[in-house]
Amino acid sequence: MSVHTFAGEQAYVANAKSIGLRWRAYLGLAAVPLVLVAVAFATPSFPFKDLCVGFAVGGVVMTLALSAANFDSRPMCGHLAETFSLESLRKVSGWTVIENLPFDGVDVDHVVITPSGVLAVETKYFGPLIRGSQAERDRVAQARESATAAARKVHLFLRSEKLHEAVKITPVLMVWGPGAPRFTETHRVLADGVHVVQAEHPQLWSHLFQAPLVSVATRERVSQALDRYVAKKLARDAERVPALRGRMWAEFRAGMSAERTARALRKVQADQLRRRHQRRRRPADRPPQGEELVA
């Protein structure tokens, strides 16, 4: 069990609305296996009945699950990036990784206790961006500010535990996605001290934080303090689960309402186009007055 991440909550809520927007398609797709099952069992001589029904139901269920997950949405990409970062950090031997520390106003994705200090890790997914564009510079600047804010929050927490002088806190930005900043070296240290690293290859930069500058006893104290904080957050998170479900249900209904509104609008527009087309054709269909008199 873990604390719900901000990116995870955003992904769940966004998926709920997406399902609401496409509920008719899902309902129609879900009806396919029911029809196949009815046809199969209504036909005694149906060949390979159980196998065909199993493939049909499995294929439809898999299609529904993959479509409902909406992997190409930005919230889901951000949530998956945080999951990938967690798995990447856990590959480094001797590191202790604490997943998600929500503070007031800042959600620290990962806090890593290394032999040389504490890493405040921020994960960012960058979608396709034009290299050198203003949008890319803005995204990078925003990510740097998030990493700096995360390190500041971790510093304040350790200060409250009387541990801020014993360990060094380093902001780290792990980047994912096709629009992520690219560099030839394994990492880059920015002017404000933020380490931008290649998220999928921790073995290329983890050696930077392997120097035994912090004693094992101090690292254990830091780990225990963070564990106590996470335990409190888990208790609060258990109370937030119903609230999250309520938000997802509200977004699902909002998606259904938006789909009905858009469907009604498309119908009105189609009727208007059809009437306009009929008005344009009506004068051409009528014969000239002279022909009417001759007839």
Side-chain angles (χ1 to χ4, degrees):
M1 185 177 181
S2 62
V3 179
H4 280 298
T5 65
F6 176 77
E9 291 185 359
Q10 293 295 104
Y12 299 148
V13 172
N15 283 353
K17 186 170 184 179
S18 176
I19 294 172
L21 287 169
R22 295 181 288 182
W23 71 274
R24 293 180 188 274
Y26 291 138
L27 185 62
L29 190 59
V32 172
L34 297 178
V35 174
L36 291 176
V37 170
V39 171
F41 283 95
T43 308
S45 60
F46 194 87
F48 305 105
K49 180 187 301 183
D50 296 337
L51 182 63
C52 293
V53 170
F55 271 112
V57 174
V60 171
V61 171
M62 183 64 69
T63 303
L64 286 172
L66 293 176
S67 179
N70 199 13
F71 288 108
D72 58 345
S73 68
R74 183 173 174 180
M76 181 56 72
C77 288
H79 177 51
L80 292 176
E82 290 187 5
T83 304
F84 295 154
S85 291
L86 178 64
E87 296 300 324
S88 182
L89 291 169
R90 283 177 173 170
K91 294 178 181 178
V92 183
S93 178
W95 285 13
T96 302
V97 184
I98 293 93
E99 178 188 5
N100 184 248
L101 264 75
F103 296 101
D104 293 337
V106 175
D107 184 52
V108 182
D109 295 337
H110 311 290
V111 176
V112 186
I113 305 172
T114 73
S116 63
V118 174
L119 308 182
V121 179
E122 185 73 12
T123 295
K124 288 296 180 184
Y125 175 84
F126 291 82
L129 294 172
I130 301 175
R131 298 293 174 184
S133 65
Q134 185 62 40
E136 182 189 30
R137 290 192 291 270
D138 293 343
R139 290 292 306 277
V140 173
Q142 182 184 5
R144 291 172 60 180
E145 292 177 0
S146 298
T148 304
R152 189 181 305 114
K153 284 293 185 179
V154 175
H155 173 79
L156 292 175
F157 171 76
L158 294 181
R159 184 176 181 179
S160 66
E161 298 287 334
K162 305 284 192 296
L163 293 169
H164 64 291
E165 296 181 353
V167 294
K168 178 184 177 182
I169 302 170
T170 304
V172 176
L173 178 60
M174 299 182 72
V175 294
W176 297 87
R182 295 180 181 177
F183 36 87
T184 55
E185 62 273 19
T186 58
H187 76 289
R188 179 184 299 173
V189 183
L190 304 180
D192 50 4
V194 176
H195 288 249
V196 184
V197 300
Q198 296 180 1
E200 66 271 26
H201 301 298
Q203 69 277 7
L204 299 178
W205 51 267
S206 59
H207 63 278
L208 299 171
F209 308 101
Q210 295 289 35
L213 303 178
V214 182
S215 66
V216 176
T218 301
R219 277 182 267 166
E220 186 64 26
R221 289 174 58 197
V222 172
S223 178
Q224 291 175 358
L226 291 171
D227 287 341
R228 288 194 299 268
Y229 181 79
V230 171
K232 294 179 181 179
K233 290 297 181 180
L234 283 173
R236 296 181 184 178
D237 190 60
E239 300 175 356
R240 291 174 55 195
V241 171
L244 177 59
R245 291 173 180 169
R247 287 173 57 197
M248 293 175 62
W249 179 244
E251 288 297 320
F252 173 74
R253 289 185 296 179
M256 292 183 65
S257 177
E259 187 274 339
R260 286 195 297 266
T261 301
R263 193 162 179 260
L265 180 60
R266 289 194 300 269
K267 183 177 180 181
V268 170
Q269 292 175 344
D271 292 340
Q272 291 176 348
L273 289 174
R274 183 165 53 252
R275 287 195 297 267
R276 188 181 307 169
H277 183 66
Q278 291 175 352
R279 286 197 299 268
R280 288 179 179 178
R281 291 189 58 185
R282 194 171 299 155
D285 294 341
R286 293 179 179 177
Q289 293 183 355
E291 293 183 6
E292 292 181 357
L293 294 176
V294 172

